[in-house]
Amino acid sequence: MSTTSYAVLAKARAKYGRHLTDRDYSSIVACQSVAEVMVYLKSHTHFSSALSEVNERDVHRGRLEMLLRQYQFYEFDSLCRYDSSMSEGFSRYVVEKTEVEQIIRFLILLNSNSTEKFIFQFPAYFVKHTSLDINKLANARDYSEFLSALSGSVYYDILKIYKPDRRGMLPVSYMENKLYAYVLGNVFELIKKKAKGTERKELLQMFYTINDYTIFSKILRLKKYYNLSPEVIKTNLIPEYSDLNAKMIDRMCAAESSAEVFRIMQSKGCGRLINKIGYTYASDISPRVQYRMAKKYIHFSDNPSVVMISYMFLAETELTNVISMIEGIRYQLDKSIIQSLIIR
């Protein structure tokens, strides 16, 4: 292992070493207000540097969340600056994933005629990291103007085939699927081109398993809440980056009940993780599997790129936990409910 590669591995593990503990989570859940949460994060956790200039008396939930997301983005960016063979590719992955999240958010607002809200929730720190014309996008008021704002980007080529229906509604689910397929495709191309041996095997296993469970969760959701046909469900999946075979996906899509979908998934090796992760809601399963795999690899992998992406996944989970706790405290949910939302 080169000195640079060792530095990436050591840096990622050092950052993970500062993660929130069970005691931190219990202390945050015990807070009575968003201001109290901010005081705790500022005084007792690694988020302190992100909040050092913020006065807890003036804190707003939206601003607190933005500061935490900004902090996380720059943590990832600093890690990707190390000159390893995979760092540049994972840096691109972080940027593309953020771009896609913002595009999807805009499309949802466009469907509800609320595009004026876009700029107020846009992560300002991200502007200098993207080639998208954010001002033009923020000022778009219809789908034609939206596409014009994306002109010259790969996202324009992906989305130009779609049109609003007679009610003016866009098929956001299909569009989301195509956008994430693009992001995943780039990750798999990176892994297959630059990774070798156990590094390649571990990275592929991680991303395949994560997408396997994303497919499983999406099938459950589309059947339960939208009662879609098997054919329509399949168009909302990304099977080309999954370890699930076509027959198994067909069986889950055609299943008569959620229990049957579970049984089919658990008949495969990776599906047996369901019984080990301790979930409260079916929607928890995919992020809990991702967390479990990342925690395993950050401790036991000797491959810098695997440890780096594992740290990113763990940090994302931690931030999701913090935001869930902030929301729960803000809306005065029962402490036991807030605890059940924490992934660990």
Side-chain angles (χ1 to χ4, degrees):
M1 187 187 301
S2 69
T3 302
T4 302
S5 295
Y6 178 79
V8 174
L9 189 151
K11 187 75 171 177
R13 283 189 173 142
K15 286 179 179 291
Y16 174 67
R18 300 178 295 154
H19 70 285
L20 299 185
T21 64
D22 287 345
R23 182 177 179 179
D24 289 321
Y25 283 127
S26 296
S27 297
I28 294 170
V29 170
C31 291
Q32 299 299 311
S33 66
V34 173
E36 281 188 27
V37 174
M38 203 214 79
V39 170
Y40 186 86
L41 293 174
K42 185 176 179 180
S43 304
H44 301 288
T45 75
H46 64 92
F47 292 110
S48 58
S49 61
L51 305 173
S52 59
E53 304 299 322
V54 183
N55 188 322
E56 55 268 20
R57 289 174 295 182
D58 302 322
V59 72
H60 178 271
R61 180 203 56 82
R63 174 163 166 72
L64 177 56
E65 181 178 334
M66 186 68 70
L67 288 169
L68 295 175
R69 290 191 183 281
Q70 176 178 305
Y71 167 79
Q72 183 189 76
F73 183 87
Y74 284 118
E75 284 281 284
F76 291 172
D77 185 59
S78 69
L79 193 59
C80 289
R81 289 180 186 275
Y82 285 85
D83 188 22
S84 76
S85 60
M86 303 290 287
S87 292
E88 184 179 346
F90 283 136
S91 178
R92 179 185 174 195
Y93 166 72
V94 171
V95 170
E96 288 178 346
K97 188 165 174 282
T98 306
E99 288 175 337
V100 165
E101 288 168 353
Q102 294 305 312
I103 288 171
I104 293 168
R105 189 169 68 82
F106 184 89
L107 291 170
I108 293 171
L109 290 172
L110 187 57
N111 265 358
S112 61
N113 295 313
S114 305
T115 54
E116 71 281 355
K117 297 178 182 178
F118 176 77
I119 198 63
F120 297 109
Q121 298 173 351
F122 184 82
Y125 61 86
F126 187 62
V127 172
K128 62 183 179 181
H129 298 278
T130 179
S131 59
L132 297 179
D133 188 333
I134 300 304
N135 287 330
K136 192 172 182 180
L137 185 59
N139 287 312
R141 291 296 177 265
D142 57 36
Y143 190 59
S144 176
E145 290 180 0
F146 164 79
L147 285 178
S148 177
L150 295 183
S151 181
S153 75
V154 67
Y155 304 115
Y156 173 86
D157 294 328
I158 293 171
L159 298 177
K160 66 182 179 182
I161 63 171
Y162 298 99
K163 294 181 180 179
D165 62 17
R166 285 179 296 179
R167 299 172 300 153
M169 302 295 286
L170 290 159
V172 175
S173 181
Y174 294 110
M175 300 164 87
E176 177 182 359
N177 206 53
K178 289 295 184 184
L179 290 167
Y180 278 117
Y182 166 74
V183 175
L184 268 181
N186 286 338
V187 169
F188 275 86
E189 182 182 1
L190 169 72
I191 294 169
K192 291 177 179 179
K193 185 181 293 185
K194 294 196 172 183
K196 297 178 181 179
T198 57
E199 177 186 42
R200 176 171 171 156
K201 181 180 178 181
E202 289 176 352
L203 287 170
L204 287 176
Q205 183 184 28
M206 186 180 295
F207 278 99
Y208 273 134
T209 303
I210 289 168
N211 193 38
D212 289 348
Y213 276 93
T214 299
I215 288 172
F216 164 71
S217 298
K218 187 169 282 191
I219 291 172
L220 280 174
R221 187 172 71 253
L222 294 178
K223 291 180 78 67
K224 181 175 182 179
Y225 297 108
Y226 300 96
N227 197 28
L228 299 179
S229 69
E231 292 72 24
V232 173
I233 291 174
K234 281 188 282 187
T235 63
N236 283 274
L237 309 177
I238 311 176
E240 58 267 39
Y241 305 114
S242 170
D243 213 19
L244 302 174
N245 61 52
K247 184 177 179 181
M248 189 172 182
I249 292 174
D250 286 344
R251 287 174 60 207
M252 286 196 288
C253 290
E256 295 294 329
S257 66
S258 295
E260 187 179 350
V261 176
F262 269 88
R263 283 196 299 271
I264 295 167
M265 184 67 180
Q266 289 174 294
S267 70
K268 182 177 171 61
C270 75
R272 291 166 194 155
L273 284 172
I274 292 172
N275 292 328
K276 299 178 181 179
I277 57 175
Y279 63 93
T280 303
Y281 309 102
S283 58
D284 289 347
I285 295 174
S286 183
R288 286 180 187 273
V289 166
Q290 177 175 295
Y291 174 80
R292 183 184 179 90
M293 291 191 70
K295 191 171 181 180
K296 168 189 168 184
Y297 280 127
I298 203 166
H299 285 298
F300 300 112
S301 178
D302 293 323
N303 296 297
S305 62
V306 178
V307 172
M308 179 170 67
I309 198 67
S310 295
Y311 163 72
M312 290 181 177
F313 286 150
L314 291 168
E316 284 179 351
T317 301
E318 182 178 85
L319 181 57
T320 298
N321 286 340
V322 171
I323 291 170
S324 294
M325 290 186 289
I326 290 170
E327 288 292 291
I329 290 165
R330 180 192 182 202
Y331 291 107
Q332 299 182 323
L333 296 182
D334 186 90
K335 302 300 182 184
S336 62
I337 294 176
I338 300 174
Q339 285 279 6
S340 73
L341 298 174
I342 299 172
I343 297 172
R344 51 185 164 176

